[in-house]
Structure formats: structure tokens, C-alpha cells
């Protein structure tokens, strides 16, 4: 399929280089896109709470809640494999708008169906499709940021996007819980649907930089899937990042579960305390995302990424030994702040060095490879903590994270 030039929905013009050189606060297209992305994340966060509550209200079954989550997660993983191929073959602006509209319609069907009585089977049909479409949206949005703000402001732009995404990730579940308590989970799903509609409307008014209009060489699906992996393998820094993040993700995906278990089982606190600690952790994510551009400009990519991973390891190692709530909250915030800084740096570097026509496939391959073993790591971490305690398991995993940072010093990451 030929690449289509992306155009504004009303003016037909792309943002000029002069516009992309302005401070982010004065770039109209980025501001509108930022709002659209925040609304989309807010919608995802609503669904994260509203749909399980709807299952629980209807069936009273924890197992069926878990099954719904598993089905949605599996659909997202499968979609990640093919998302990059799709994103690189189509008009990305239309794809983003289409993804939001599809989720608006599908989630909107649920409260309408509930007017005539519960239809639990509908949730198992809708959520996998919405999760797969959400993965397409996630890959697509990564590919358009460079065209909006230019290479020089990528880290700052990604930091702002990640900061508001973290805030929406906290606000969304809280608001969904309030709406569900007042009017029922079905209404909360309806609010979720509306957020995607507003996001689509915002994206309609964003002007994206035009992409090359000439048709690329047509290739088969399997070759397209291998293209992203081949680029990662051929780029020394991205190759090292992929391998080290594979290990880091394996070690750390179960962090939230470990924090919850430590607070409730080891320290004997209630759900309210858990919520407070995780909210403080989210503030750490926001702070790291807002600081990362300034820190990277001063220290460079290698120092920021390596130092952030090392601090993550130190915070993780201390979590199980912390005996009071403020200490647990502080260590959680440090871990999430540094993890956010490392993640924003790696995403920005990948956007900077990847050719525009390959950005979707490279992003998809990067995410798929370095997260592929993370669920197994989370299961192993929580099993070990259940049998041997959070303190030794946290110390072991944290030490391994520090070793990952040390290993980075012997790779091209150090000088990148």
C-alpha cells in the first residue's frame, strides 16, 4: 500500500518547521494532540476499573473477572506483533482517529445493552477487540510525535505525554470508581466511550507532518514483521537496550504486586493505605517524566538511562526491608520516577534514530521483544515472595537490576 501524505482535517497543511521550533507550550498541534492522548489514556483507565466491576456486579465471580483481564491482555500481546506493520502501511492520522472511534462505538454498546439486562458475554467479545485496537493506537501515537515537535524536543514532548498519562492512570480508576458507585459500572463504561469520542475529535484538528507519498517496495507480511527486529539487531544501542530491558522487565513487572503484598501481608495495612502508596508512586512517575528532558540535556542519554536503572534497583532492593508506610511510599516513588525517566529516554532515542517509514515496525518489535518474558517474571517474583518473603526477593531482584545497569557500561549505551 502506498504511503499517504498525512494532512490536517480542515486546512490540508502540515505544521511548518518554524512552528515545530517553538516552545511546546506554544505549539498548537502538540497541545491538541497532548489533550487527545490524555483523554485516550483516561478512557483506558476507566475501562480498567469499570469492566471488572461490571463482571463482579453481575456474576459475583473473582475468577470471571480474572478471565476477562486475561483475555484482554492476550489480545493486546497478539496485536503488538502486527501493530507496527499496520501502522507503517496506512495513514497514521486516520488510524488514530479510527482507533478512538472504534473504541467509542464498542464501549458505547455495553451500557445500551445493559438497559435490557446484563450481557456478560458481550464483555468478552468487546474487550479483546478494544485492547487490540488500543495497541494499534499506542504504536501509532509513538510514530507521530517526532513529526509534531521535531527531533530536538522529542524527550521533552514524551516526558509531558508520559506525565499526563500517569496522572490519567491515577485519576481514571478513581473517577470510574466514583461514577460506578453513584450510577453503576455500566454508566462508567459509557463515560469511557465518550472520552474516546472527544479524543478522536481532538485528533481531527491536529496537523501532522506529511510523510513521503511515493510507494515503497511491496513486501510480504513475514518480511515486514522481521524488518523491525532486523533494525534493532543492526543498531548497536537499540540492540543493547532490547537485551537489557528484556531482563529488567522480567525482574520488575511484578513490583506493584510486591508492594501490595508487603503492605497488606507484612505490615498489616488496609486497602486505603495501598491506594495512598500507589498514588504517591504515581506522583514519582509524573515528576520523573517532567524532569527527564532537562536531565538528559545535562548528562546525556547513557548516563541518564544507566543511572536511572541503577536507582530503580536500589529502591527495589530496599522495599522489602522498609518497615513503615512513608518509607515504602518513598521507595516506590523513586523506583517509578527513575523507571519513567529510563523509559522516556529509550523511547525518545528510538524515535530519533529510526527512519520514518520503519518507526511503527521498530516500535512494535521493541515492545514485543522486551516485554515477552515479563509476565513470567511477575509470576516468578510473586511466587517467590509468597514462599520466601518480600525482603530477600526484593533484595535479589533489586541487585539484579543494578547489575543490568552495570552491564550497560560495557555496551554502546554508555557512549550514546
Amino acid at each position: 500500500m502506498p504511503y499517504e501524505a498525512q494532512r490536517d482535517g480542515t486546512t490540508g497543511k502540515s505544521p511548518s518547521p518554524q512552528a515545530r521550533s517553538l516552545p511546546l507550550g506554544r505549539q498548537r498541534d502538540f497541545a491538541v494532540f497532548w489533550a487527545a492522548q490524555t483523554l485516550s489514556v483516561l478512557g483506558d483507565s476507566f475501562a480498567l476499573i469499570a469492566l471488572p466491576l461490571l463482571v463482579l456486579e453481575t456474576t459475583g465471580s473473582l475468577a470471571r473477572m480474572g478471565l476477562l483481564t486475561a483475555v484482554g491482555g492476550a489480545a493486546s500481546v497478539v496485536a503488538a506483533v502486527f501493530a507496527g506493520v499496520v501502522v507503517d502501511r496506512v495513514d497514521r492520522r486516520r488510524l488514530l482517529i479510527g482507533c478512538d472511534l472504534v473504541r467509542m462505538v464498542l464501549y458505547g454498546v455495553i451500557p445500551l445493552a445493559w438497559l435490557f439486562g446484563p450481557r456478560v458475554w458481550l464483555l468478552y467479545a468487546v474487550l479483546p477487540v478494544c485492547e487490540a485496537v488500543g495497541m494499534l493506537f499506542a504504536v501509532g501515537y509513538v510514530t507521530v510525535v517526532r513529526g509534531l515537535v521535531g527531533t530536538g524536543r522529542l524527550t521533552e514532548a514524551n516526558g509531558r505525554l508520559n506525565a499526563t498519562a500517569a496522572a490519567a492512570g491515577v485519576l481514571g480508576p478513581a473517577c470510574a470508581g466514583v461514577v460506578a458507585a453513584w450510577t453503576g459500572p455500566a454508566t462508567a463504561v459509557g463515560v469511557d466511550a465518550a472520552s474516546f469520542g472527544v479524543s478522536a475529535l481532538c485528533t481531527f484538528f491536529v496537523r501532522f507532518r506529511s510523510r513521503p507519498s511515493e510507494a515503497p517496495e511491496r513486501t510480504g507480511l513475514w518480511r515486514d514483521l522481521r524488518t523491525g527486529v532486523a533494525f534493532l539487531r543492526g543498531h548497536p544501542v537499540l540492540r543493547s537496550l532490547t537485551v537489557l530491558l528484556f531482563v529488567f522487565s522480567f525482574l520488575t513487572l511484578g513490583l506493584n504486586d510486591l508492594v501490595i503484598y508487603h503492605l497488606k501481608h507484612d505490615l498489616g495495612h488496609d486497602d486505603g493505605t495501598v491506594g495512598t502508596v500507589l498514588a504517591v508512586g504515581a506522583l514519582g512517575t509524573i515528576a520523573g517524566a517532567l524532569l527527564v528532558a532537562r536531565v538528559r540535556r545535562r548528562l546525556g542519554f547513557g548516563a541518564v538511562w544507566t543511572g536511572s536503572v541503577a536507582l530503580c534497583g536500589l529502591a527495589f532492593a530496599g522495599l522489602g526491608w522498609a518497615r513503615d508506610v512513608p518509607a515504602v511510599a518513598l521507595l516506590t516513588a523513586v523506583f517509578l520516577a527513575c523507571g519513567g525517566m529510563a523509559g522516556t529516554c529509550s523511547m525518545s532515542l528510538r524515535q530519533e534514530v529510526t527512519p520514518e517509514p520503519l518507526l511503527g515496525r521498530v516500535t512494535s518489535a521493541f515492545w514485543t521483544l522486551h516485554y515477552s518474558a515479563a509476565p513470567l517474571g511477575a509470576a516468578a517474583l510473586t511466587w517467590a515472595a509468597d514462599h520466601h518473603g518480600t525482603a530477600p526477593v526484593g533484595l535479589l531482584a533489586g541487585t539484579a537490576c543494578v547489575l543490568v545497569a552495570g552491564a550497560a557500561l560495557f555496551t554502546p549505551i554508555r557512549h550514546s
Side-chain angles (χ1 to χ4, degrees):
M1 179 183 296
Y3 288 112
E4 300 175 26
Q6 299 200 36
R7 300 296 182 185
D8 178 75
T10 53
T11 67
K13 297 179 180 179
S14 302
S16 66
Q18 291 79 11
R20 294 198 299 274
S21 67
L22 293 172
L24 289 183
R26 296 174 57 191
Q27 293 191 29
R28 172 256 185 202
D29 290 299
F30 175 75
V32 177
F33 178 76
W34 189 8
Q37 174 62 15
T38 302
L39 285 168
S40 186
V41 173
L42 188 64
D44 286 334
S45 301
F46 250 74
L48 183 68
I49 297 298
L51 293 179
L53 286 176
L54 198 55
V55 174
L56 187 62
E57 179 187 72
T58 304
T59 68
S61 170
L62 179 62
R64 297 191 72 172
M65 288 175 61
L67 178 61
L68 181 65
T69 301
V71 168
S76 181
V77 170
V78 172
V81 177
F82 301 97
V85 175
V86 175
V87 168
D88 284 340
R89 286 175 175 240
V90 303
D91 182 290
R92 291 169 180 168
R93 177 174 174 273
R94 294 177 185 174
L95 176 70
L96 295 177
I97 295 172
C99 287
D100 275 338
L101 292 178
V102 167
R103 288 183 287 181
M104 179 191 73
V105 171
L106 290 178
Y107 281 131
V109 167
I110 293 173
L112 293 177
W114 245 252
L115 293 175
F116 303 96
R119 303 285 191 275
V120 176
W121 63 266
L122 183 62
L123 304 181
Y124 292 93
V126 166
L127 185 62
V129 178
C130 288
E131 287 293 308
V133 170
M135 179 55 68
L136 280 175
F137 183 95
V139 175
Y141 115 80
V142 169
T143 65
V144 301
V145 176
R146 181 170 65 186
L148 283 173
V149 302
T151 302
R153 296 190 179 274
L154 263 176
T155 303
E156 183 183 357
N158 286 327
R160 294 193 181 195
L161 288 164
N162 290 341
T164 52
V170 175
L171 183 62
C175 292
V178 171
V179 172
W182 285 352
T183 61
T187 303
V189 178
V191 175
D192 176 21
S195 73
F196 289 116
V198 178
S199 174
L201 182 63
C202 290
T203 306
F204 179 80
F205 291 103
V206 176
R207 297 169 300 179
F208 293 106
R209 187 179 65 178
S210 298
R211 294 167 63 197
S213 58
E214 67 271 9
E217 176 189 359
R218 294 184 61 88
T219 59
L221 177 61
W222 177 241
R223 183 174 175 185
D224 272 343
L225 292 173
R226 290 186 298 169
T227 299
V229 177
F231 185 85
L232 293 175
R233 187 173 61 245
H235 192 284
V237 178
L238 293 183
R239 181 175 64 244
S240 301
L241 279 174
T242 305
V243 173
L244 294 177
L245 282 172
F246 176 88
V247 179
F248 183 77
S249 298
F250 178 87
L251 294 167
T252 61
L253 184 62
L255 174 81
N256 278 353
D257 294 333
L258 201 68
V259 170
I260 293 169
Y261 184 84
H262 182 54
L263 288 169
K264 291 181 68 69
H265 181 269
D266 298 340
L267 305 183
H269 291 284
D270 58 15
D271 291 344
T273 302
V274 172
T276 300
V277 169
L278 294 181
V280 172
L283 293 177
T285 303
I286 295 169
L290 293 177
L291 290 172
V292 63
R294 184 180 306 173
V295 176
R296 184 185 173 187
R297 280 196 296 269
R298 290 180 64 89
L299 302 179
F301 172 85
V304 174
W305 191 90
T306 304
S308 295
V309 172
L311 287 174
C312 282
L314 294 174
F316 202 170
L319 271 171
W321 301 95
R323 308 315 299 175
D324 56 75
V325 172
V328 175
L330 177 61
L331 289 171
T332 302
V334 170
F335 179 94
L336 293 176
C338 294
M341 292 181 72
T344 301
C345 279
S346 65
M347 180 168 69
S348 299
L349 180 72
R350 193 173 64 252
Q351 290 167 315
E352 291 162 5
V353 303
T354 305
E356 180 73 23
L358 299 179
L359 193 49
R361 281 165 286 179
V362 171
T363 298
S364 181
F366 185 79
W367 285 354
T368 302
L369 289 173
H370 91 257
Y371 278 123
S372 57
L376 294 176
L381 188 78
T382 51
W383 178 89
D386 190 36
H387 286 76
H388 303 288
T390 55
V393 171
L395 179 61
L396 181 63
T399 302
C401 290
V402 174
L403 292 176
V404 168
L409 297 177
F410 299 94
T411 72
I413 293 173
R414 178 181 179 181
H415 303 291
S416 59

